[in-house]
Amino acid sequence: MNKFAGDGGFGATAAQFLLNLFIAFLWMLLLDEDEFRATTFIAGFIVGIFIVFFMHRFFGTQFYLRKLFAIIKLVLIFNWELIKSSVSVIAQILSPTLKIRPGIFRYDTVLESDVEVTMLSLLLTLTPGSVVMEVTEDGQGLYIHAMDLDTSKESLLAQLNNFEQAIMEVTR
């Protein structure tokens, strides 16, 4: 383990990014242009991405852009789930008769840290039709209120699973 890697967390990611910036500035200096050009810096940054990608195993952690892609994936999954649940709630509201059966159920999560459980709770609460009412003392269980248990519990469980997988990609 080298001194930059530490626990393989933020320090190694920051070291990879700083090395990428250094390569970009070095690229600009080696091209010996009279003035600063953003295109030269961007080209150097792209070259740096490839160099850092091939060297990332020396940092003892995954490639730093992988975390960025995981965050983008989580945002896209949230947006998709938000659209799906919004359509479901709108369909319930616009139906001539209200045939819903609201209820509370317990969901045991595979997430381990408080940050992960908090992210899951917030993402679920932000989507229409469900709200996390309480988290158990050990942080492994969530009590969730769903607008319609009969029709939406299976889709809600699939949504929770999607969120959990995406959160684990971001945080681990």
Side-chain angles (χ1 to χ4, degrees):
M1 195 63 82
N2 62 37
K3 66 180 181 177
F4 290 116
D7 62 349
F10 180 74
T13 302
Q16 288 181 33
F17 179 70
L18 289 174
L19 178 61
N20 197 353
L21 283 178
F22 177 74
I23 292 169
F25 282 114
L26 188 63
W27 182 268
M28 285 178 18
L29 290 173
L30 290 175
L31 286 181
D32 195 29
E33 294 177 339
D34 293 335
E35 59 188 35
F36 174 77
R37 292 193 177 140
T39 55
T40 306
F41 178 78
I42 292 170
F45 194 80
I46 292 171
V47 168
I49 287 173
F50 288 110
I51 292 172
V52 171
F53 175 74
F54 290 116
M55 291 179 52
H56 79 276
R57 65 186 178 102
F58 297 114
F59 289 94
T61 186
Q62 64 183 2
F63 182 52
Y64 80 101
L65 287 180
R66 189 172 290 188
K67 190 79 71 178
L68 176 67
F69 293 137
I71 291 169
I72 291 170
K73 179 182 173 185
L74 176 61
V75 169
L76 292 175
I77 288 172
F78 171 71
N79 286 335
W80 176 247
E81 296 295 340
L82 180 67
I83 291 168
K84 286 188 343 186
S85 61
S86 295
V87 168
S88 173
V89 169
I90 289 171
Q92 289 286 347
I93 291 171
L94 294 178
S95 67
T97 59
L98 196 60
K99 295 180 182 178
I100 61 171
R101 197 186 68 130
I104 300 170
F105 68 96
R106 179 186 165 111
Y107 178 76
D108 292 319
T109 181
V110 296
L111 301 176
E112 298 169 355
S113 73
D114 291 342
V115 171
E116 292 174 335
V117 173
T118 302
M119 285 176 62
L120 178 65
S121 299
L122 290 174
L123 290 172
L124 188 63
T125 300
L126 286 172
T127 55
S130 60
V131 64
V132 175
M133 297 176 53
E134 186 176 349
V135 179
T136 60
E137 290 285 330
D138 61 356
Q140 298 300 309
L142 304 172
Y143 288 99
I144 300 169
H145 180 275
M147 187 175 85
D148 189 10
L149 282 179
D150 292 337
T151 61
S152 65
K153 186 173 181 182
E154 289 181 20
S155 65
L156 190 59
L157 291 174
Q159 181 181 22
L160 283 164
N161 188 35
N162 288 339
F163 283 152
E164 281 181 335
Q165 296 302 319
I167 289 170
M168 286 189 288
E169 287 179 22
V170 170
T171 59
R172 296 181 187 174

